[in-house]
Each structure stands twice: as C-alpha cells, then as structure tokens.
Amino acid sequence: MSTSGPASAASREPAFREPGPCAPVSHTSVFHALHHADGPLLLPNAWDVASAVALAGAGYAAIGTTSLGVAAAHGLPDGQGLAEVGDATLALARRLGERLPCPYTVDIEGGFGGGAERVAGLAAEVAAAGAAGINLEDGLPGGGGLQVPSFQAELIRAVKERVPGLFLNARIDTHWLVDAPPPLSVTLARAETYLAAGADGIFVPGVVADEDVSSLVAAVPAPLNILFAPGRHTVSRLAELGVRRISTGSLLFRTALGATLAAAESV
C-alpha cells in the first residue's frame, strides 16, 4: 500500500498532574515525517487500549484516538467539554504510552475548558504520556458554534510554546454537522490564523466533495487532514487530491458496536 496505513515492515476540572518525560524523539519525528511521506497517512482511531493495540499489531504506522469513542466507552457524551472525558482521555493516553510501539495522537476536543495555560498544561501531560500529537478543535462544546479565531490561536500558540515538538493538528469545524457550511474562504482564513500561531496541520472534517478537498489542498500550506466518508471517499482518490492524512474518526468504534450486535443476534 502506498499510503502510510499498515506498514509493510464541565462540572470540575480534569485531574491533570505535572508531566514527566515527553514522548520519545523518534516517535515525534516519525509522526511528523509520516505527514510528508509518498502517500497520505491513513490514521485509524482507537477508543481504548485493546483497539489501539490491535490496530498497531495490524501494522498501522500510527494510531489516533476518537473522542466520541472514548466518551461513549465511559458512558459520557462527546463534544461537551466534560472534565470526566478529559480525565478518561488523559488516562488512555498514559496507558497507550506504555503499550504502543508506534506513534499515537490524542483527540483532546477543545481542551476541556480553561484558558491557554490550562490547555497547554493538558497538551504537556499528553506529550509526557508518550503521545506524538494532538487534535485541538475550534468547535464550541455542545454544538454552540465556533471559537473566536484569535482565542483559538492563543490556545495553539500556548501549546506550541509549552511542547514545541508535539504535532498540533488544528481542527476547523466550519463544515462539521452543519446544514449550510460557510464559503471555503472562512475555513481558509481560520487555517491561516492557526498556522501562523504554530499549528502543524489542518483538519477539516465534513468536507466531502473533490473540488472542496482540492481547493483546501491547494490553499493550505501544511498537511491537510480529511475525515474519511464511507461511500464518498476512497483512499486512492484522496491521495490523488493531495490529502496528507486520512482519519477514520468514530467509524471503527461505531462499526465495532454494530458487529457486536450482529454477533449477539446470530447467537
């Protein structure tokens, strides 16, 4: 396979603690390099240690986490910025650091509350656990619109100052779960702001049409991450369009639940 998939060879604050040693330099440098390889990085998203270890064992070059899967596995809603989800996310990051032989990146939603110092502290904790990257989104908790770009840039800048080697994938939610997304110019303006603040990559979930993907690739001077849409996307086509990273999001988690129900019904 030419892509970097299976390798051929808010009621309270989350309980963050002072970080220890960061992820191995080899993992962070490898993870950065995977975004500039011959083909796009195919990044499967895990929701617990078992799923992450299974995916790593299948040979995927890197693993991501899915905030929806992590939250749902703990009986909690996704995208609400809940401290409990922040705790679960950090706990999973630590366990993955002990088990995975490959780089991994952690979805921290919008940072689970607090200002720049707080979010940078969480990013440092995740890096200390062994993660090579994070996703940081600009969608407000509960679907309440989008963060002010200048404030989001402050979060990004603080993270990169605190943990400069961490791959920060800036997620832009202009097209996520909306009936009428704004013009791509709005997305591109946010991308420019976030990249100027130090983001390493741009993630725009919800963009599906080839022409929109192509326009983003052409205009964003950084690795573009697209959320795989079954029935609309193929890895080969996204590669042709110039996408550098393809995420599965909650797809694997939802598919696993469906397979569980099917197996139970078959019995």
Side-chain angles (χ1 to χ4, degrees):
M1 180 181 285
S2 61
T3 57
S4 302
S8 53
S11 56
R12 60 179 180 83
E13 294 183 332
F16 304 146
R17 301 197 298 267
E18 282 302 309
C22 290
V25 175
S26 59
H27 276 189
T28 55
S29 60
V30 165
F31 191 64
H32 278 263
L34 286 170
H35 293 78
H36 302 278
D38 291 339
L41 169 62
L42 178 56
L43 188 77
N45 296 91
W47 58 94
D48 59 11
V49 174
S51 57
V53 169
L55 290 165
Y60 285 89
I63 308 297
T65 67
T66 159
S67 64
L68 185 149
V70 172
H74 288 80
L76 298 166
D78 178 44
Q80 303 296 317
L82 296 179
E84 293 87 350
V85 179
D87 291 343
T89 297
L90 184 54
L92 176 58
R94 289 178 174 141
R95 291 195 295 271
L96 295 182
E98 298 170 352
R99 295 294 305 276
L100 292 184
C102 63
Y104 66 97
T105 182
V106 177
D107 183 348
I108 64 167
E109 296 189 14
F112 302 108
E117 183 178 354
R118 184 79 183 164
V119 175
L122 170 59
E125 283 271 45
V126 169
I134 60 168
N135 269 19
L136 183 64
E137 64 195 48
D138 63 5
L140 293 172
L146 300 179
Q147 186 59 266
V148 176
S150 59
F151 181 81
Q152 190 71 8
E154 289 180 18
L155 301 185
I156 293 169
R157 191 173 296 110
V159 169
K160 293 301 291 185
E161 289 175 355
R162 185 75 174 270
V163 201
L166 193 68
F167 190 102
L168 194 154
N169 201 34
R171 173 172 150 170
I172 301 175
D173 280 353
T174 50
H175 289 65
W176 185 239
L177 300 180
V178 294
D179 294 327
L184 279 182
S185 58
V186 175
T187 306
L188 291 172
R190 285 180 174 266
E192 182 178 8
T193 298
Y194 300 163
L195 291 173
D200 299 289
I202 296 295
F203 179 27
V204 190
V207 171
V208 176
D210 281 8
E211 55 268 29
D212 290 338
V213 173
S214 181
S215 295
L216 288 171
V217 168
V220 174
L224 179 69
N225 183 188
I226 291 295
L227 180 67
F228 185 81
R232 298 293 301 274
H233 290 153
T234 65
V235 170
S236 60
R237 181 56 179 157
L238 290 175
E240 290 174 0
L241 294 173
V243 172
R244 304 310 307 157
R245 173 166 155 179
I246 303 168
S247 299
T248 61
S250 63
L251 174 63
L252 304 185
F253 172 75
R254 292 181 285 109
T255 301
L257 287 183
T260 298
L261 290 173
E265 291 170 1
S266 70
V267 172

